């Protein structure tokens, strides 16, 4: 007989672990954690995949100013690379200062207050969820571009990819890293090879991919204004999404976790910077013009390699990595949600961790919300892109401001230079946040502006709920010594059987007094059954009184709960337990044949009374045994 004590204990004792917390000191624990190389595959796919659309975002904005505007592609990219360097340096510092993970949420919580930290957390949650939807739809869009016949089935394909990524992540972050290591290496290798080969070309080898497509280049412009450059800079900053993921998931790394995470962050920044600058140089070298229906990356691959097998390798690697870039969210968001749960801002079950160091509740929740977004958008990337990247820039800005306060408070050697670095980053990301929000507001960004405060209000409501429960239970105070109360056990019965005998046996072992309760109805056939039960009960004489509760209707739960309420009023000092006997067939399909009377009674008693509910299950199979679970 297994007993789970407490009606409200689960809600307020704080998040528990399904296994002892892993310190990273044991080999068994490290087996389910990341190395620096695996961290690149598990947590950097979002940032890596952004080179497929980051440079293109810059080009499409500057193209409005014609060929003259295209000449500013490299300067804008260099500015973004400089911001990338600032962010990488900053997040290395964040990793060292906050080795428990959480990124901008952890920084804001310590230095900017609880409310600001919740804004940072809400922005990260939005970014992570949107990253899954955008990545999956972008990857599937690349597939349907190659095979137009699949376009009508794109939603189902998106959901299939999402199920695949979710299933891999439920096996553990290390398994997901191993599964995605090869696609990551293929993509990075193909992009670097394309850049290297392209630098030795005097001109494009082929323009077959752009042939027959209308140019998106503007005409007649001879000047580029500051507003256009700011817009191009803000658009290109979408390539920086995912840079924060490593700092959010530091506990996922092997010991020494902080050092491994810092190496991963630097490697990510270096690779991303090289790819962004290299692609930008090729755009200028080949005098590329954006065209409708063909990506900039495809044109660059065509120009560097020619329209051959290498071209298709780049396209295939890009398609796969875009689809798998959702893995970054699965690596970072569940860890962030576990920290929020520990701080009572999310339900505590998000802090539970399975055997493979997986926050499986966070993984499943992320998958379900992302699936809803995919269905809502119809698998269309353009519907989701206007919402993307705003959240992460809010988090960037909050993190940078928090780190300025961190250095001002700690004041280590050289703190002024570090604070200046973070201050510059805060200014740049803040400007980017304003520009991106303003330029995309009417395209759907208003949803993010509306969603942020709603999520923060949700955090506040959950926090207040936990605070009220904790106050009622006097958590943090020494309770009075426990004392023994008289125990009354009520057993609902409908007939005599071995189940009835087992139930009364269990009840007499639990309580001082046991009462058997049966509900009677005025119909003739019910009256006959009640009389037969009363007669058989007297002949059996189990030593337990049979109480008949009359009901004018054919309801079962309400009469039992009403009787329990009456007992509670007449015996205010007694602890009342309702023991509900049920059969549990071995085969699942046979359980569907049960009348579910036990569930009806349990629901009514839980809803209307404060009695403890005990579900006694009589298992029917090859080996018969009885199990009782005390549920709150």
């Amino acid at each position: 007989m297994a007993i789970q004590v407490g009606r409200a204990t689960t809600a307020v004792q704080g998040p528990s672990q399904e296994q002892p917390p892993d310190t990273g000191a044991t080999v068994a624990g490290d087996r389910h954690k990341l190395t620096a190389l695996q961290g690149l595959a598990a947590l950097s796919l979002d940032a890596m995949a952004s080179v497929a659309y980051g440079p293109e975002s810059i080009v499409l904005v500057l193209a409005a100013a014609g060929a003259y505007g295209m000449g500013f592609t490299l300067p804008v990219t260099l500015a973004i690379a400089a911001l990338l360097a600032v962010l990488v340096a900053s997040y290395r510092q964040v990793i060292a200062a906050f080795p428990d993970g959480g990124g901008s949420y952890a920084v804001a919580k310590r230095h900017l207050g609880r409310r600001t930290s919740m804004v940072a957390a809400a922005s990260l949650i939005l970014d992570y969820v949107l990253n899954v939807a955008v990545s999956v739809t972008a990857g599937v869009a690349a597939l349907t571009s190659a095979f137009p016949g699949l376009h009508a089935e794109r939603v189902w394909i998106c959901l299939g990819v999402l199920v695949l990524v979710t299933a891999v992540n439920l096996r553990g972050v290390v398994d997901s890293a191993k599964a995605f290591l090869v696609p990551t290496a293929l993509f990075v290798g193909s992009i670097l090879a394309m850049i290297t080969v392209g630098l030795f070309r005097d001109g494009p080898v082929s323009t077959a991919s752009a042939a027959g497509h209308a140019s998106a280049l503007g005409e007649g412009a001879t000047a580029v204004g500051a507003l256009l450059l700011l817009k191009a800079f803000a658009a290109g900053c979408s390539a920086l999404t995912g840079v924060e993921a490593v700092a959010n998931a530091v506990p996922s790394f092997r010991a020494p976790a902080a050092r491994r995470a810092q190496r991963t962050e630097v490697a990510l920044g270096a690779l991303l910077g090289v790819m962004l600058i290299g692609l930008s140089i090729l755009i200028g070298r080949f005098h590329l013009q954006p065209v409708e229906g063909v990506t900039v990356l495809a044109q660059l691959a065509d120009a560097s390699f020619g329209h051959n097998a290498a071209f298709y390798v780049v396209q295939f690697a890009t398609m796969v990595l875009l689809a798998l870039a959702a893995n970054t969210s699965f690596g970072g968001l569940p860890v962030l949600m576990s920290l929020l749960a520990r701080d009572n801002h999310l339900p505590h079950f998000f802090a539970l961790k399975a055997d493979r160091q997986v926050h499986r509740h966070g993984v499943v929740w992320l998958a379900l919300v992302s699936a809803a977004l995919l269905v809502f958008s119809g698998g269309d990337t353009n519907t989701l892109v206007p919402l993307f990247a705003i959240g992460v820039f809010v988090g960037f800005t909050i993190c940078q401001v928090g780190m300025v306060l961190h250095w001002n408070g700690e004041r280590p050697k050289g703190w002024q230079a570090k604070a200046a670095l973070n201050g510059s980053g805060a200014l740049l990301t803040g400007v980017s946040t304003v520009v991106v929000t303003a330029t995309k507001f009417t395209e759907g960004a208003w949803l993010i502006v509306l969603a942020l405060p709603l999520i923060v209000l949700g955090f506040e409501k959950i926090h207040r709920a936990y605070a009220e429960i904790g106050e009622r239970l006097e958590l943090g105070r020494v309770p009075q010594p426990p004392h023994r109360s008289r125990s009354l056990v009520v057993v609902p019965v409908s007939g005599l059987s071995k189940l009835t005998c087992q139930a009364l046996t269990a009840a007499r072992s639990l309580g001082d007094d046991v009462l058997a309760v049966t509900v009677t109805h005025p119909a003739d056939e019910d009256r006959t059954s009640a009389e037969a039960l009363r007669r058989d009960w007297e002949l059996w004489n189990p030593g337990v009184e049979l109480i008949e509760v009359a009901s004018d209707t054919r309801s079962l739960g309400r009469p039992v709960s009403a009787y329990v309420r009456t007992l509670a009023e007449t015996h205010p000092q007694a602890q009342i337990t309702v023991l509900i006997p049920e059969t549990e067939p071995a085969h699942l399909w046979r359980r569907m044949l049960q009348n579910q009377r036990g569930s009806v009674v349990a629901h009514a008693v839980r809803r209307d009374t404060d009695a403890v509910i005990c579900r006694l299950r009589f298992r029917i199979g090859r080996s018969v045994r009885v199990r009782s679970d005390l549920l709150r």
Side-chain angles (χ1 to χ4, degrees):
M1 187 177 293
I3 295 181
Q4 238 181 356
V5 179
R7 185 177 181 84
T9 305
T10 303
V12 296
Q13 280 185 331
S16 59
Q17 297 290 328
E18 296 177 13
Q19 63 176 36
D22 182 13
T23 62
T26 65
V27 176
D30 274 354
R31 190 169 63 246
H32 299 299
K33 294 196 172 186
L34 298 169
T35 63
L37 183 60
Q38 290 170 342
L40 270 177
L43 300 171
S44 69
L45 296 185
D46 176 20
M48 294 292 186
S50 66
V51 302
Y53 50 79
E56 182 160 7
S57 299
I58 300 172
V59 167
L60 288 176
V61 173
L62 294 177
Y68 183 74
M70 292 291 295
F72 287 86
T73 301
L74 182 58
V76 171
T77 304
L78 290 175
I80 292 173
L83 177 56
L84 172 64
V86 171
L87 290 174
V88 169
S90 174
Y91 276 107
R92 283 190 77 253
Q93 299 165 357
V94 172
I95 291 168
F98 301 90
D100 291 332
S104 58
Y105 168 70
V107 175
K109 179 184 171 185
R110 179 181 297 181
H111 297 294
L112 297 172
R114 187 171 63 86
R115 290 185 181 275
T116 305
S117 71
M118 287 190 291
V119 173
S123 66
L124 287 174
I125 288 175
L126 286 172
D127 176 66
Y128 276 134
V129 172
L130 285 167
N131 171 59
V132 173
V134 169
S135 299
V136 171
T137 55
V140 172
L143 175 65
T144 56
S145 297
F147 303 97
L150 298 175
H151 185 75
E153 307 297 330
R154 64 187 183 278
V155 174
W156 290 108
I157 299 174
C158 286
L159 294 177
V161 172
L162 179 61
V163 169
L164 172 65
V165 176
T166 303
V168 172
N169 277 276
L170 285 174
R171 289 187 54 82
V173 66
V174 172
D175 282 359
S176 71
K178 291 177 179 178
F180 302 147
L181 191 57
V182 172
T184 305
L186 177 62
F187 176 78
V188 173
S190 63
I191 295 298
L192 293 180
M194 182 180 70
I195 293 171
T196 303
V197 172
L199 290 176
F200 288 95
R201 302 288 191 191
D202 294 328
V205 177
S206 170
T207 58
S209 61
H213 293 268
S215 174
L217 196 66
E219 297 180 0
T222 58
V224 175
L227 183 59
L228 185 67
L229 291 176
L230 277 177
K231 188 175 180 180
F233 174 81
C237 280
S238 60
L240 303 182
T241 59
V243 172
E244 78 292 346
V246 177
N248 289 335
V250 178
S252 298
F253 286 86
R254 293 182 184 180
R259 189 177 306 169
R260 290 183 188 274
Q262 286 179 322
R263 292 172 185 168
T264 302
E265 186 74 52
V266 172
L268 169 60
L271 284 173
L272 184 56
V274 168
M275 288 191 290
L276 288 175
I277 295 174
L279 293 176
S280 178
I281 292 174
L282 291 187
I283 290 171
R285 189 178 187 86
F286 295 140
H287 304 290
L288 182 143
Q289 295 184 11
V291 297
E292 297 178 1
V294 180
T295 65
V296 168
L297 195 62
Q299 292 187 65
L300 290 177
D302 205 8
S304 295
F305 292 131
H307 208 74
N308 50 29
F311 168 82
Y312 288 102
V313 168
V314 174
Q315 293 304 100
F316 175 76
T318 303
M319 177 192 71
V320 172
L321 201 75
L322 278 169
L324 299 183
N327 194 67
T328 298
S329 296
F330 283 96
L333 182 57
V335 176
L336 174 63
M337 294 177 75
S338 72
L339 296 177
L340 287 166
R342 292 174 188 176
D343 292 337
N344 292 335
H345 296 312
L346 283 179
H348 286 163
F349 60 76
F350 283 115
L352 296 176
K353 194 180 286 188
D355 293 338
R356 291 174 173 265
Q357 301 297 311
V358 181
H359 295 93
R360 57 188 178 191
H361 295 285
V363 170
V364 172
W365 179 89
L366 174 58
L368 292 175
V369 176
S370 301
L373 268 178
L374 290 173
V375 173
F376 170 76
S377 66
D380 182 19
T381 307
N382 294 328
T383 304
L384 299 168
V385 166
L387 312 179
F388 192 46
I390 296 175
V392 73
F393 275 101
V394 172
F396 281 163
T397 306
I398 290 174
C399 183
Q400 299 293 313
V401 173
M403 289 305 295
V404 171
L405 297 179
H406 173 78
W407 297 126
N408 187 55
E410 298 289 333
R411 297 189 176 231
K413 184 178 179 180
W415 70 272
Q416 294 96 334
K418 295 178 180 179
L421 180 70
N422 294 132
S424 301
L427 178 62
L428 291 174
T429 56
V431 169
S432 298
T433 304
V434 173
V435 174
V436 171
T437 304
T439 55
K440 296 184 177 182
F441 188 83
T442 57
E443 300 176 30
W446 62 270
L447 285 172
I448 302 298
V449 177
L450 179 64
L452 273 174
L454 291 178
I455 295 176
V456 171
L457 288 175
F459 289 158
E460 287 279 20
K461 190 174 183 64
I462 293 172
H463 192 271
R464 283 197 301 270
Y466 278 127
E468 290 174 6
I469 295 172
E471 183 66 26
R472 292 288 298 274
L473 292 182
E474 299 182 354
L475 292 180
R477 308 176 196 173
V478 178
Q480 296 179 355
H483 62 278
R484 190 179 187 281
S485 299
R486 180 190 174 199
S487 179
L488 288 174
V489 182
V490 177
V491 182
V493 298
S494 58
L496 295 187
S497 65
K498 187 175 181 179
L499 177 62
T500 309
C501 179
Q502 293 282 7
L504 295 181
T505 300
R508 296 186 73 168
S509 68
L510 285 175
D512 300 313
D513 298 303
V514 178
L515 298 172
V517 176
T518 185
V519 179
T520 62
H521 306 291
D524 292 340
E525 63 273 17
D526 295 318
R527 189 182 306 113
T528 301
S529 298
E531 291 173 355
L533 174 60
R534 190 184 311 114
R535 182 177 60 253
D536 293 342
W537 195 274
E538 292 174 355
L539 291 174
W540 182 34
N541 191 21
V544 175
E545 182 182 0
L546 178 64
I547 306 296
E548 296 184 14
V549 178
S551 175
D552 294 334
T553 63
R554 302 196 66 83
S555 63
L556 180 65
R558 289 186 182 276
V560 175
S561 64
Y563 177 73
V564 173
R565 282 202 309 272
T566 302
L567 277 180
E569 293 170 358
T570 55
H571 302 82
Q573 301 302 320
Q575 173 62 61
I576 299 176
T577 300
V578 179
L579 189 146
I580 304 171
E582 300 173 289
T583 58
E584 186 177 280
H587 300 288
L588 181 62
W589 71 270
R590 290 187 179 182
R591 297 179 190 178
M592 298 171 61
L593 305 178
Q594 303 301 108
N595 55 28
Q596 307 300 323
R597 297 173 70 176
S599 298
V600 171
V601 173
H603 174 73
V605 172
R606 181 182 293 110
R607 179 192 59 209
D608 300 333
T609 75
D610 292 326
V612 174
I613 300 170
C614 183
R615 306 282 289 272
L616 183 141
R617 294 186 175 128
F618 186 87
R619 290 190 171 181
I620 302 174
R622 292 180 182 177
S623 58
V624 179
R625 58 176 177 168
V626 178
R627 183 185 69 177
S628 173
D629 298 317
L630 186 61
L631 305 176
R632 62 185 183 90

